Amino acid sequence: MGREAILMTFSAKTIMIKNTNIVDAANSRIIENQNVIVDGSHIKEISGTTPGSEVFHVVDGEKSYLMPGIADLHVHLNWDGGPDPRQAVLQEGAKVAVLRAYRHALDHLKMGVTTLLDVGSMDDLAIDLASAIRRNVVFGPHLYATGRIICIIGGHGAGLGYEISGRDDALRATRTLIKRGADMIKIAATSGAYGSFGAEKLEAIQLDPEEILTITSEARKYGIKVTAHALNLEGIRNCVDNGVSIIQHGAFLDKSTARLMAQKGVFLVPTLLVYRKLAEGAPGVMPEAVSKAREVVRHHREAFLNALEAGVRIAGGTDVYSPNFGPHPRIIDEAITMGEYGMPNSEVIRAITLNASEALGTHRTRGRVEEGMEADLVLLRGNPLEDLNNLKKVERVFLDGVEIDPHTTRDPLTL
Ligand SMILES: [Zn+2]
């Protein structure tokens, strides 16, 4: 059933989330005992008194905390989180992979993740899934997708990515992905931990500055942002100097480049936990990937703190379903890790809500619990500003005003 049909069934009249405590992460505070009126897909009214409007359905919010829907800006929905996800999707093919991707999108939604940015899928299948959700073919969270990663021949992402060499190729790849419907362009500016080709050395840059500039300049014409996989410092620098809007990983970020990122408003999606998990190793996971991940982990915390100190806008993302890194809700574990690494809880909540919306450019309608905003909401049985572990205590999720009970065995699909 499509979203419109569900809205007609469940939200034609107003919902009241009664007597709840609103998490206002931007101001590090809780606004206690509020009635939140959801009318259709939007928040109509928030007040401490009984509303005038006729209420169709009341959700008891007592002793609960209401926060904006969570966003994860680094997912690979088509992967399986097993020891070698790339090999797995190549074997099963894109048709099975798109079904898995959809399954994963719904799993996220039930845990309070209402917005996802997929930054690399085979055959651009995440673009098709995003389109199917937007056109109400299937019900699912807000999904943005880059399609294939643009990388150098044999570089990070090769095999499933769009492999290029030179500026002409860079232009062709960018235009092809935009024509395909990409919401954002993903590039691999450096090697990575997980990759089976010879060129994957941690210290190596991959796309060169001219290729990066070609891609970002072309994307800008369409108002499309570029996000980059960038681990080493030279690669991060190439991105920041050449128009990239969102750095993924940023494991070797130094203080001066962090200051430059802050000045230019470039976002960082640190994905701290995925490398720690990969560094643990597991049967079937490539040993080279494990040793490279260990090297990343040795630097990542310092890089993250450099970003924090410089005032870089940090948004939440996980790299979920990459090797040895399933299942959901990894963004919650990532949030807890950001907290452990020294980020104040209110900033962590901001990173996985409003900052993520700002990075996507959707902050005017999503990322805060305020009148007029879209009703993407999570009701928690505990205050996440006090303890980030409370992010796991999900009682209800609302997507565009559609109520989802995470405890039901029924799938939102079968509503
Ligand atoms: Zn990734």
Coordinates of all heavy atoms in Angstrom, one line a residue, residues 74 76 119 186 249 319, ligand 1:
H74 N 25.1 7.3 5.7 CA 26.0 6.4 5.0 C 25.5 5.0 5.1 O 25.8 4.3 6.1 CB 27.4 6.5 5.6 CG 28.5 5.9 4.7 ND1 29.6 6.5 4.3 CD2 28.5 4.7 4.1 CE1 30.4 5.7 3.6 NE2 29.7 4.6 3.4
H76 N 24.6 1.2 2.8 CA 24.6 0.5 1.5 C 23.5 -0.6 1.7 O 23.8 -1.7 2.1 CB 26.0 -0.2 1.3 CG 27.1 0.8 1.3 ND1 27.4 1.5 0.1 CD2 28.0 1.2 2.2 CE1 28.5 2.3 0.3 NE2 28.9 2.1 1.6
V119 N 24.9 5.5 -0.2 CA 26.1 6.0 -0.9 C 26.9 5.0 -1.7 O 28.1 5.0 -1.8 CB 27.0 6.8 0.0 CG1 26.4 8.0 0.5 CG2 27.4 5.9 1.2
K186 N 28.5 10.3 -5.3 CA 29.5 9.8 -4.4 C 30.8 9.5 -5.1 O 30.7 8.8 -6.2 CB 28.9 8.5 -3.7 CG 30.0 7.7 -3.0 CD 30.2 8.1 -1.5 CE 31.2 7.3 -0.8 NZ 30.7 5.9 -0.5
H249 N 34.0 9.5 6.4 CA 35.1 8.8 7.2 C 36.1 9.9 7.8 O 36.2 10.0 9.0 CB 35.8 7.8 6.4 CG 34.9 6.9 5.6 ND1 33.9 6.2 6.2 CD2 34.9 6.6 4.3 CE1 33.3 5.4 5.3 NE2 33.8 5.7 4.1
D319 N 27.8 3.4 7.4 CA 28.4 2.4 6.5 C 27.8 1.0 6.7 O 28.4 0.0 6.5 CB 29.9 2.3 6.6 CG 30.6 2.2 5.2 OD1 29.9 1.8 4.3 OD2 31.8 2.4 5.2
Ligands
ZN1 ZN 30.5 3.0 2.4

